[in-house]
Amino acid sequence: MGVDFKKLALQYRKELLEKVIPFWEKNSKDEEFGGYFTCLDREGKVFDTDKFVWLQAREVWMFSSLYNRVEKKAEWLEMAEHGARFLMDNGHDGQLNWYFSLTREGKPLVQPYNIFSDCFATMAFGQLYRATGKQQYADVAKQTFDNILARQNNPKGQYNKLVDGTRPLKGFSLPMILCNLSLEIEHLLPEELVEQTMDKVIHEVMEVFYQPDTGLILENVKPDGSFSDSFDGRLMNPGHAIEAMWFIMDLAERRKDDALMQKAVKIMLDTLKYGWDEEFGGIYYFLDIKGHPPQQLEWNQKLWWVHIETLISLIKAYKHTGNNECLQWFQKVHDYTWSHFADPEHDEWFGYLNRRGEVLLPLKGGKWKGCFHVPRGLYQVWQTLEKLK
Amino acid sequence: MGVDFKKLALQYRKELLEKVIPFWEKNSKDEEFGGYFTCLDREGKVFDTDKFVWLQAREVWMFSSLYNRVEKKAEWLEMAEHGARFLMDNGHDGQLNWYFSLTREGKPLVQPYNIFSDCFATMAFGQLYRATGKQQYADVAKQTFDNILARQNNPKGQYNKLVDGTRPLKGFSLPMILCNLSLEIEHLLPEELVEQTMDKVIHEVMEVFYQPDTGLILENVKPDGSFSDSFDGRLMNPGHAIEAMWFIMDLAERRKDDALMQKAVKIMLDTLKYGWDEEFGGIYYFLDIKGHPPQQLEWNQKLWWVHIETLISLIKAYKHTGNNECLQWFQKVHDYTWSHFADPEHDEWFGYLNRRGEVLLPLKGGKWKGCFHVPRGLYQVWQTLEKLK
């Protein structure tokens, strides 16, 4: 293919360190009340001051992670601890149940109904503990992780609106995130719990949610892993499944499990081919596995995280297997992503495009897009490219 | 303008009675388990069998209403009672708290967290009582209405995820629906309660949610009616406000309140101008009053109900005021609606278009689109046109 990996690696590195991270350093810090602004317009101006715990925690994680992995820059550590202080003071209910959102001042707005707030808090404090060695951060990460395991079978608790027993389904998101989380905080857990959690989540993702007849992963299945012919049961989220596959590849690498690696690469490629929009390019957000109209009106939009996670999966798959199809797809998704999501005039990337790839919302950050997928993806792809020859 | 009202009236009448109602009669009845299928593809084939209480109740209302207002056809009454039996047997928890959704067989899927299920059940049984005189239907409507009034200050109950007191906001939907509901079931209520409810909801809609500085109605305001600079507080739903204005016009007509009528017509026109997409035509689904990116990814889509409700409001406004601007806008929205939502090849209308007006989902019915807005709108516009010269 004649791909110049060194040059490509430099492109990802420069975008990360010269355009994306400076955008968040410059625009997201709330000097007055602590924490971060994440609702930022195209140029970086704050358009809403609410603080979403997913995004607060993810930004703490991102800056801690840069400090741990790229360079011991004091500004990065201070940026991480700035968010961590706000979260410790305001982010939870006193029992480390993490709220969904807060006002600018830190008052709770939305109750701790969403277990992913807890997942991202665990990641944040686990990574910050690596950076600082401060025991309090380790304790928060560890206790929150225990809460997650205790709540995992009924994560929404009293806020669950489903009638018990009528159509029991389980969701892909939590086992998927636990794949990543078990590696993120393994330094805090007993070895046995780490191995046990990994065994369980690998089984769930690769055998329960994975459907052998289609070769694809569904978002919701019956407790025994079988198909539910309902809106939730038919739902496919290609970006989600593709993202999970690089978590699995990381686990397969760690365990030197080649069969698991091969299976993850195959599922990833099959999902990408299934989710690719042949007419306008890009990857659909949601699909119905039987081809019926999905419930989600945003189904055919093109989202930043879907494409960035796909780049990570493709380049890791190529690195681990040398499969040329992965490299060809990487080139294709790279071209689409850089020509549609990157903003030629301002820093950071657009998040939401319509099916045609035109900008749907001009924001750089919002309720769901923060300092996370773009920089994490640039870092992961850069690092992987550097190891290629 | 040279508008041929008779010819136009015939167009609406024929579409209702020859294409839309037959579509639901032919495709939506579940002969095996009772109730209606509403997830119907372009040709009318069932693609999902779940039963959503909003749509079950709305179809009962629609067929009862046709029977009461258009013709005493036994098939229409039987169709209405077919759905009513299913709802009486399965739709509520025994205390007339109405579930959100049920399986095909009638088992509850989603708890009664959504007060609009109760609102549509009230409408359905109130209208069916008019058709049949059966006391049991009157009792269900009346008791459900009492439940709504009792729950109106905290409609979601235990399922409310907002932390009490941090940012108290009240929503436009419930007072708006109560405008319509108070007229729908006034034959079941003591006159004093009807007048009192009408006074209250007219005040809420026209003075609390209406913002004099912009001349527009917001979806959520602080308890005192002032503006909240937050995602929810900045939210505009032009179709919602425009629909509410014909409910208010009906109330103004009944009360012979010309000032109220004039105000409703003005708000409706101002909202329509604000919500109209000058580039591609059609009315946006959601807007942010300050022009920031809305949370809703579907914000620029064109939805059937928005356009149909606007046609009702415009033709009623023209009838009551003779304002030529209303007639000009009626022509413009009529042309857009018939050329984009009506399906030249099959019965019933499309529901969801992208910003450009292309079909986004080819369904004729789904989780939110049933036998309601299209036939109610065709009926309302037909009846209003018939009175014009």
Side-chain angles (χ1 to χ4, degrees):
Chain A
M1 297 265 296
V3 179
D4 184 341
F5 293 120
K6 288 278 163 287
K7 191 176 154 203
L8 260 183
L10 192 65
Q11 179 181 347
Y12 281 84
R13 182 183 186 284
K14 276 174 67 92
E15 187 75 12
L16 174 68
L17 300 179
E18 295 173 21
K19 299 189 78 177
V20 172
I21 289 302
F23 176 90
W24 296 99
E25 288 182 292
K26 185 172 157 211
N27 300 306
S28 78
K29 200 169 180 182
D30 183 353
E31 299 282 5
E32 197 173 344
F33 292 96
Y36 314 113
F37 299 117
T38 64
C39 295
L40 302 171
D41 71 10
R42 187 177 177 187
E43 298 168 35
K45 282 203 300 291
V46 177
F47 68 88
D48 192 274
T49 59
D50 281 357
K51 289 175 180 160
F52 304 97
V53 170
W54 282 32
L55 301 194
Q56 299 293 312
R58 283 168 156 187
E59 189 159 344
V60 172
W61 177 87
M62 193 67 229
F63 278 98
S64 305
S65 181
L66 288 171
Y67 180 86
N68 291 333
R69 293 166 177 173
V70 177
E71 192 187 333
K72 298 269 171 290
K73 283 179 77 164
E75 307 92 283
W76 287 347
L77 189 59
E78 163 46 27
M79 189 70 168
E81 290 206 85
H82 174 83
R85 284 188 295 272
F86 181 81
L87 278 176
M88 294 278 267
D89 291 347
N90 307 289
H92 63 93
D93 66 355
Q95 266 76 50
L96 295 179
N97 296 301
W98 297 85
Y99 292 114
F100 181 73
S101 64
L102 312 164
T103 63
R104 180 180 175 189
E105 297 78 12
K107 281 196 225 158
L109 271 170
V110 175
Q111 300 283 7
Y113 80 96
N114 185 301
I115 201 168
F116 301 103
S117 298
D118 305 75
C119 292
F120 297 121
T122 304
M123 273 176 76
F125 287 100
Q127 198 64 232
L128 189 57
Y129 170 65
R130 278 193 212 230
T132 61
K134 292 182 188 168
Q135 188 57 36
Q136 53 173 332
Y137 297 143
D139 294 344
V140 171
K142 177 69 180 62
Q143 285 172 44
T144 302
F145 187 70
D146 290 344
N147 274 355
I148 294 167
L149 295 185
R151 279 172 65 192
Q152 66 180 313
N153 292 321
N154 185 17
K156 289 195 186 170
Q158 72 170 99
Y159 305 105
N160 182 3
K161 292 181 292 206
L162 297 178
V163 175
D164 205 29
T166 303
R167 182 184 291 154
L169 291 179
K170 55 183 184 176
F172 179 61
S173 305
L174 194 53
M176 170 195 159
I177 285 206
L178 289 175
C179 287
N180 185 236
L181 211 49
S182 57
L183 275 182
E184 272 287 330
I185 62 155
E186 69 169 309
H187 57 298
L188 298 176
L189 302 176
E191 199 184 320
E192 200 188 308
L193 179 61
V194 173
E195 293 303 321
Q196 194 185 307
T197 306
M198 286 180 187
D199 285 343
K200 187 178 165 189
V201 294
I202 291 170
H203 168 73
E204 288 283 307
V205 168
M206 303 303 275
E207 285 160 68
V208 178
F209 287 92
Y210 170 72
Q211 307 289 301
D213 55 336
T214 54
L216 299 170
I217 284 173
L218 294 172
E219 281 297 298
N220 301 285
V221 295
K222 293 186 189 171
D224 65 0
S226 63
F227 175 63
S228 163
D229 193 357
S230 58
F231 280 105
D232 290 336
R234 293 189 301 270
L235 187 65
M236 271 275 306
N237 180 331
H240 224 185
I242 291 170
E243 179 180 6
M245 289 308 103
W246 75 258
F247 298 165
I248 297 287
M249 289 178 219
D250 281 2
L251 290 170
E253 181 183 23
R254 181 184 183 284
R255 292 187 155 195
K256 303 190 175 51
D257 183 341
D258 190 55
L260 183 62
M261 183 70 78
Q262 297 295 337
K263 189 173 178 185
V265 172
K266 180 163 179 7
I267 293 174
M268 184 270 295
L269 280 174
D270 288 348
T271 307
L272 175 55
K273 290 173 200 166
Y274 186 86
W276 186 257
D277 179 350
E278 290 295 344
E279 192 174 349
F280 293 103
I283 302 158
Y284 292 117
Y285 189 10
F286 292 109
L287 292 166
D288 180 293
I289 193 86
K290 293 180 85 171
H292 298 317
Q295 281 186 75
Q296 290 77 7
L297 298 184
E298 64 273 31
W299 72 276
N300 67 10
Q301 296 176 8
K302 310 292 163 67
L303 269 68
W304 84 106
W305 67 265
V306 171
H307 295 77
I308 290 162
E309 297 301 319
T310 301
L311 289 171
I312 302 173
S313 272
L314 285 165
I315 203 66
K316 285 192 186 239
Y318 177 69
K319 182 189 145 213
H320 291 304
T321 65
N323 179 341
N324 253 316
E325 203 181 355
C326 297
L327 190 58
Q328 284 156 15
W329 269 107
F330 177 81
Q331 287 274 10
K332 185 168 171 171
V333 179
H334 168 95
D335 290 345
Y336 181 89
T337 303
W338 284 80
S339 62
H340 289 83
F341 290 101
D343 179 352
E345 290 175 41
H346 298 279
D347 289 344
E348 247 289 344
W349 291 15
F350 295 116
Y352 301 89
L353 313 178
N354 67 15
R355 183 178 173 191
R356 290 170 181 258
E358 297 157 348
V359 174
L360 178 80
L361 297 175
L363 56 79
K364 296 295 174 59
K367 183 173 175 179
W368 305 101
K369 182 176 189 286
C371 178
F372 187 64
H373 285 287
V374 175
R376 181 177 78 168
L378 293 171
Y379 170 80
Q380 287 281 350
V381 175
W382 157 34
Q383 291 293 310
T384 309
L385 284 166
E386 282 216 335
K387 295 188 189 87
L388 292 173
K389 276 164 211 158
Chain B
M1 297 264 297
V3 179
D4 184 342
F5 293 120
K6 288 278 164 288
K7 190 174 154 206
L8 260 184
L10 192 65
Q11 178 182 346
Y12 280 83
R13 183 185 185 283
K14 277 174 66 92
E15 187 75 11
L16 173 68
L17 300 179
E18 295 173 23
K19 299 191 77 179
V20 172
I21 289 303
F23 176 90
W24 296 99
E25 289 182 291
K26 185 171 157 213
N27 300 306
S28 78
K29 199 170 181 182
D30 182 354
E31 299 283 5
E32 196 173 344
F33 291 96
Y36 315 112
F37 300 117
T38 64
C39 295
L40 301 171
D41 71 12
R42 186 177 177 187
E43 297 169 36
K45 282 202 303 289
V46 178
F47 69 87
D48 191 274
T49 59
D50 281 357
K51 289 173 181 162
F52 304 97
V53 170
W54 281 33
L55 301 195
Q56 300 293 312
R58 283 168 156 186
E59 190 159 344
V60 171
W61 177 86
M62 192 67 230
F63 278 98
S64 305
S65 181
L66 288 171
Y67 180 87
N68 290 334
R69 294 166 176 172
V70 178
E71 193 187 333
K72 298 271 171 289
K73 282 179 77 164
E75 308 92 282
W76 288 346
L77 189 59
E78 163 45 28
M79 189 70 168
E81 290 207 85
H82 173 84
R85 284 190 294 273
F86 181 80
L87 278 176
M88 294 278 266
D89 291 346
N90 307 289
H92 63 92
D93 67 356
Q95 267 77 50
L96 294 178
N97 295 303
W98 297 84
Y99 293 114
F100 181 74
S101 64
L102 312 164
T103 62
R104 181 181 175 187
E105 298 78 11
K107 282 196 224 158
L109 271 171
V110 175
Q111 301 283 7
Y113 80 96
N114 185 302
I115 200 167
F116 302 102
S117 297
D118 305 75
C119 292
F120 298 120
T122 303
M123 273 177 76
F125 287 99
Q127 197 65 230
L128 188 57
Y129 170 65
R130 279 193 211 231
T132 61
K134 292 182 187 169
Q135 188 57 37
Q136 54 175 329
Y137 297 143
D139 294 343
V140 171
K142 179 69 179 63
Q143 285 172 43
T144 302
F145 187 70
D146 290 343
N147 273 354
I148 293 168
L149 295 184
R151 279 172 65 191
Q152 66 180 313
N153 292 322
N154 184 19
K156 288 195 185 170
Q158 70 169 101
Y159 305 105
N160 183 2
K161 291 181 291 205
L162 297 178
V163 175
D164 205 29
T166 303
R167 182 183 291 155
L169 291 178
K170 54 183 186 177
F172 179 61
S173 305
L174 194 53
M176 169 195 159
I177 284 205
L178 289 174
C179 287
N180 184 236
L181 210 49
S182 58
L183 275 182
E184 271 288 330
I185 62 156
E186 68 169 309
H187 57 297
L188 299 176
L189 302 176
E191 199 184 320
E192 201 188 309
L193 179 61
V194 173
E195 293 302 321
Q196 193 184 307
T197 305
M198 286 180 186
D199 285 343
K200 188 178 165 189
V201 295
I202 291 170
H203 168 72
E204 288 283 307
V205 168
M206 303 303 276
E207 284 160 70
V208 178
F209 288 92
Y210 171 73
Q211 305 289 302
D213 55 335
T214 54
L216 300 170
I217 283 174
L218 293 171
E219 281 298 297
N220 301 286
V221 295
K222 293 185 188 172
D224 65 0
S226 63
F227 174 64
S228 163
D229 192 357
S230 58
F231 280 105
D232 289 337
R234 293 189 301 268
L235 187 66
M236 272 275 306
N237 181 332
H240 225 183
I242 292 169
E243 178 179 6
M245 289 308 102
W246 76 257
F247 298 164
I248 296 288
M249 289 179 219
D250 281 3
L251 291 170
E253 181 183 23
R254 182 184 182 286
R255 292 187 155 193
K256 303 189 176 51
D257 182 340
D258 190 55
L260 183 63
M261 183 70 78
Q262 297 295 338
K263 188 172 178 184
V265 172
K266 178 160 180 11
I267 294 174
M268 184 270 295
L269 280 174
D270 288 346
T271 307
L272 175 55
K273 290 173 200 166
Y274 187 84
W276 186 257
D277 179 351
E278 290 294 343
E279 192 173 349
F280 293 103
I283 302 157
Y284 292 117
Y285 189 10
F286 292 109
L287 292 166
D288 180 293
I289 192 87
K290 294 181 84 171
H292 298 316
Q295 281 186 78
Q296 291 77 7
L297 298 184
E298 64 273 31
W299 71 275
N300 67 11
Q301 295 176 8
K302 310 293 163 66
L303 269 68
W304 84 107
W305 67 265
V306 171
H307 294 77
I308 290 162
E309 296 302 319
T310 301
L311 289 171
I312 302 174
S313 271
L314 284 165
I315 203 66
K316 286 193 185 240
Y318 177 69
K319 182 188 143 213
H320 292 303
T321 65
N323 178 341
N324 253 318
E325 203 181 356
C326 297
L327 190 58
Q328 284 156 14
W329 269 106
F330 177 81
Q331 288 274 11
K332 185 168 173 171
V333 179
H334 167 95
D335 291 345
Y336 181 89
T337 303
W338 283 80
S339 61
H340 289 83
F341 290 102
D343 179 353
E345 291 175 40
H346 298 279
D347 289 345
E348 247 290 344
W349 291 15
F350 294 116
Y352 301 90
L353 313 179
N354 66 16
R355 184 179 173 190
R356 290 170 181 260
E358 296 156 348
V359 174
L360 178 80
L361 296 175
L363 57 77
K364 295 296 174 58
K367 182 172 176 179
W368 305 102
K369 182 176 188 288
C371 178
F372 188 63
H373 285 287
V374 175
R376 181 177 78 169
L378 293 171
Y379 170 80
Q380 287 281 350
V381 175
W382 156 35
Q383 290 294 311
T384 309
L385 284 166
E386 281 215 335
K387 296 186 190 91
L388 292 174
K389 276 166 211 159

